[in-house]
Amino acid sequence: MNLIDEDFNAKKEVDQTKKITRIIIVAIILVIIAIAGIFAYMLYLQSLNLKVIVNDQQNADIANLLVFENDGTIYVPVRKIASYFSYDSYNGEYTNKSEDTSKCYVQCDGEVANLTLNSNKIYKLSLESKGNNYTYIYMDQPVKAINGELYITTEGMQKVFNTTFNYDQNSNTISIYTMPYLISRYTNTILNYGYTAISEQFENRKTAVQGMLVVTDDKYVGVINSDDGTEILECKYDNITYQEATGDFIVCSNNKYGIIGANKETKVEITYDTIRLMDYDAGLYLVSRNGKYGVIDLEGNNVIYAENDQIGIDISKFPDNDLKTGYILLDNLIPVQRNEKWGLFDKNGKQVVNFEYDSFGYIANNNREALNLLVVPNYNVIVACLNERYTLLNASGEQAFKAFVDDIYMTINGGKKSYTMIANNKRYDVEDYLDRLGVQPVNEKEEEETSTNTTTNTNNSNTTNETDQNSAVENNNQVNNEGEEREDSTEQTNNTQEVQESQES
């Protein structure tokens, strides 16, 4: 082999080596790219899986319970999620035990929360305070049923279970913190702010999920921001109680009470012996001064002057009436006692019934089947007693019939409630009797109002000629209606006389 051939072969080998090297390098690069791609894809798949963190611990079970609506609203099953927040859950209502699956309640050591299908109202009962009066707050959406179970939104979940909720869509992560966990986390932190303890009252501990803490320095009580310790209310009060419904604080100083907002605004001067929220929607507080009771609004204005012996009924005596409060009955009437006589005021402070009745409600004595009765809810009437005889008053304070009977009580058979009144040993079905008097049940009134509104809207869209024709018909109907009204009036008089005659016989 000559020199030229040797050089050619050597060059050929070098080219092959370089080619192989290039192939290897490209292969390595492709493998690296593939590995990176696979790793990125795995991260992507992992990011698609929702992560739920509860009290800094991942909880896959709760992630599987959540239902995402098309509009982004997230719903949770009330009873299934309750145990994860250390709550017990049951069907029915707390004070009216049943297996009604359209209602449920959850319970912890401090309070009970009641929920009802299609309602956005949460009724809460404090287990620390005395009495059977509920307070209530609202959710953003009503309770809904999914596959036979009751669901609420995550906003409602925060209010029912006293939790926080945050959804980071970028990381697809939900973070939830419960009130007890936050309290434990902040317990040591407040020492750095110069305070000795967080309030033990359950109502006050709810502020932890609102970014606030009710704290004490062993002598006085105040409110601080939980993140940085800045003062919201100075630590100078003898006692503070958080009002979940309004977000305000009832404060006590020198045995006098007032109301201060979280913005430091004084809403009610610190001049009363006691203050209690009566009704959030009506914006009313029950107050007392020198042993006398009155009602004020959220701005401190007098609605009913503090000159009464008692305001409100003890509803623990009427457990089967399913009442949430004894302060406002029939959604309008405030029972007030003065000089051993009872009267009624409406929510605007107008007296609609004079101080003339001995009591409100019927207390069963000898009749074994009789149950105590305060209101007949289907007809929106309240039982009033005078000289050991009873009558019924409507939401305007008027008597449903102009008579008094010997007894008016409730019975329950097979879960069905019935109402009976007795006049001179003769029994009457209360609801049937009210029907005969022309008193409409609450649901029929609502249907009639809806029908009237529909008719009104239809008439407004009619032509002028149709209006003229209708006017002629209405004039004719007016004559007929007047005759019918006279007949109805005669029938009502006869029905009332029937009871009165039974009394007199």
Side-chain angles (χ1 to χ4, degrees):
M1 182 177 292
N2 56 37
L3 184 59
I4 294 175
D5 292 335
E6 290 177 356
D7 290 339
F8 177 79
N9 291 333
K11 185 176 181 180
K12 186 177 180 179
E13 289 177 359
V14 171
D15 290 341
Q16 288 178 343
T17 301
K18 289 181 178 179
K19 185 177 181 180
I20 293 171
T21 302
R22 284 197 295 268
I23 291 172
I24 293 173
I25 292 173
V26 170
I28 292 173
I29 292 173
L30 290 175
V31 170
I32 293 174
I33 292 174
I35 293 173
I38 292 172
F39 182 73
Y41 184 67
M42 291 176 64
L43 290 176
Y44 172 72
L45 290 177
Q46 185 178 4
S47 69
L48 291 178
N49 296 324
L50 176 67
K51 290 190 295 184
V52 176
I53 309 297
V54 179
N55 295 335
D56 294 327
Q57 298 291 324
Q58 188 164 345
N59 191 311
D61 293 337
I62 290 182
N64 294 328
L65 295 177
L66 305 182
V67 174
F68 288 76
E69 300 283 280
N70 292 332
D71 62 359
T73 305
I74 306 174
Y75 280 85
V76 301
V78 179
R79 296 202 57 191
K80 285 184 177 178
I81 208 168
S83 60
Y84 294 100
F85 303 140
S86 300
Y87 278 73
D88 297 320
S89 66
Y90 308 89
N91 289 330
E93 291 183 293
Y94 178 69
T95 52
N96 183 28
K97 302 293 191 294
S98 72
E99 295 302 319
D100 186 354
T101 56
S102 69
K103 300 177 181 180
C104 74
Y105 67 93
V106 299
Q107 180 178 353
C108 65
D109 292 337
E111 72 177 8
V112 173
N114 289 265
L115 298 165
T116 301
L117 180 64
N118 298 326
S119 173
N120 67 337
K121 216 170 189 178
I122 308 169
Y123 280 100
K124 289 192 171 186
L125 179 65
S126 172
L127 299 179
E128 290 183 342
S129 62
K130 297 179 180 179
N132 296 78
N133 291 291
Y134 283 80
T135 58
Y136 58 85
I137 53 177
Y138 289 99
M139 300 181 286
D140 58 341
Q141 296 293 330
V143 180
K144 67 186 299 184
I146 302 177
N147 297 326
E149 294 187 51
L150 299 184
Y151 278 70
I152 55 177
T153 65
T154 51
E155 191 268 354
M157 180 193 77
Q158 295 176 76
K159 293 181 176 180
V160 171
F161 297 106
N162 301 304
T163 68
T164 65
F165 179 92
N166 180 65
Y167 180 27
D168 186 344
Q169 294 185 342
N170 293 327
S171 63
N172 204 21
T173 300
I174 290 174
S175 299
I176 300 172
Y177 291 100
T178 63
M179 183 188 75
Y181 181 83
L182 291 175
I183 293 296
S184 65
R185 190 167 76 175
Y186 292 133
T187 296
N188 292 327
T189 303
I190 65 163
L191 299 178
N192 299 327
Y193 301 145
Y195 304 101
T196 57
I198 298 174
S199 172
E200 294 291 335
Q201 292 182 47
F202 188 85
E203 291 299 315
N204 287 342
R205 292 190 163 225
K206 292 180 185 179
T207 60
V209 300
Q210 305 297 332
M212 301 179 291
L213 296 170
V214 180
V215 295
T216 179
D217 63 1
D218 275 342
K219 186 176 181 181
Y220 295 112
V221 183
V223 182
I224 64 171
N225 184 298
S226 59
D227 292 330
D228 55 20
T230 56
E231 285 185 329
I232 296 173
L233 299 184
E234 292 181 334
C235 196
K236 61 183 180 183
Y237 299 97
D238 298 328
N239 191 32
I240 290 177
T241 301
Y242 177 62
Q243 302 293 288
E244 182 181 14
T246 63
D248 299 326
F249 297 90
I250 293 179
V251 300
C252 175
S253 179
N254 297 320
N255 294 321
K256 296 295 181 182
Y257 291 82
I259 301 174
I260 300 179
N263 60 356
K264 299 181 182 291
E265 177 190 359
T266 298
K267 296 187 174 182
V268 176
E269 295 292 337
I270 308 174
T271 59
Y272 293 99
D273 297 337
T274 61
I275 295 181
R276 179 187 293 271
L277 181 64
M278 285 178 58
D279 187 88
Y280 171 61
D281 286 339
L284 300 178
Y285 281 90
L286 172 67
V287 297
S288 71
R289 182 182 287 157
N290 300 322
K292 297 294 183 179
Y293 293 87
V295 177
I296 62 172
D297 62 22
L298 294 178
E299 297 178 351
N301 300 312
N302 285 305
V303 177
I304 301 174
Y305 284 97
E307 55 188 10
N308 307 287
D309 301 323
Q310 184 176 332
I311 292 180
I313 302 295
D314 180 6
I315 59 174
S316 65
K317 297 178 181 178
F318 308 95
D320 299 298
N321 256 196
D322 305 336
L323 297 170
K324 294 293 190 296
T325 177
Y327 295 131
I328 298 180
L329 303 176
L330 311 183
D331 294 325
N332 183 57
L333 301 177
I334 302 174
V336 180
Q337 185 189 46
R338 187 187 301 172
N339 298 325
E340 299 184 351
K341 290 292 183 180
W342 286 87
L344 293 170
F345 288 72
D346 66 17
K347 290 188 292 188
N348 296 318
K350 177 183 177 183
Q351 187 167 4
V352 295
V353 173
N354 294 328
F355 294 102
E356 56 184 294
Y357 292 100
D358 299 328
S359 64
F360 291 120
Y362 173 84
I363 304 298
N365 294 317
N366 300 322
N367 191 333
R368 290 185 178 181
E369 67 173 4
L371 299 173
N372 295 355
L373 179 64
L374 181 58
V375 299
V376 181
N378 293 340
Y379 288 79
N380 233 23
V381 289
I382 178 175
V383 178
C385 175
L386 178 62
N387 298 325
E388 298 184 356
R389 301 178 82 81
Y390 302 88
T391 190
L392 296 173
L393 306 177
N394 63 23
S396 299
E398 302 166 338
Q399 281 185 266
F401 51 82
K402 303 295 182 181
F404 285 81
V405 298
D406 300 320
D407 300 282
I408 299 180
Y409 59 85
M410 178 200 302
T411 56
I412 302 178
N413 292 306
K416 182 181 179 180
K417 295 180 179 179
S418 300
Y419 306 91
T420 302
M421 60 184 184
I422 299 177
N424 198 26
N425 296 322
K426 187 173 182 180
R427 292 172 178 259
Y428 299 86
D429 182 282
V430 173
E431 294 184 318
D432 177 65
Y433 192 79
L434 292 174
D435 280 336
R436 291 164 60 190
L437 291 180
V439 180
Q440 286 182 298
V442 175
N443 58 347
E444 287 187 10
K445 286 182 179 180
E446 294 173 350
E447 291 175 1
E448 183 178 282
E449 289 173 359
T450 302
S451 176
T452 301
N453 291 335
T454 303
T455 303
T456 300
N457 292 334
T458 303
N459 288 339
N460 288 338
S461 65
N462 288 338
T463 63
T464 304
N465 290 336
E466 289 174 332
T467 302
D468 292 339
Q469 292 172 0
N470 289 338
S471 178
V473 172
E474 287 171 3
N475 289 336
N476 184 46
N477 286 342
Q478 183 175 356
V479 176
N480 293 333
N481 288 337
E482 288 175 355
E484 291 174 359
E485 288 174 0
R486 284 194 294 270
E487 292 176 1
D488 290 342
S489 177
T490 301
E491 181 181 357
Q492 180 169 341
T493 301
N494 291 337
N495 286 333
T496 303
Q497 286 176 347
E498 181 182 347
V499 174
Q500 291 174 328
E501 289 171 359
S502 179
Q503 288 177 285
E504 295 169 356
S505 62

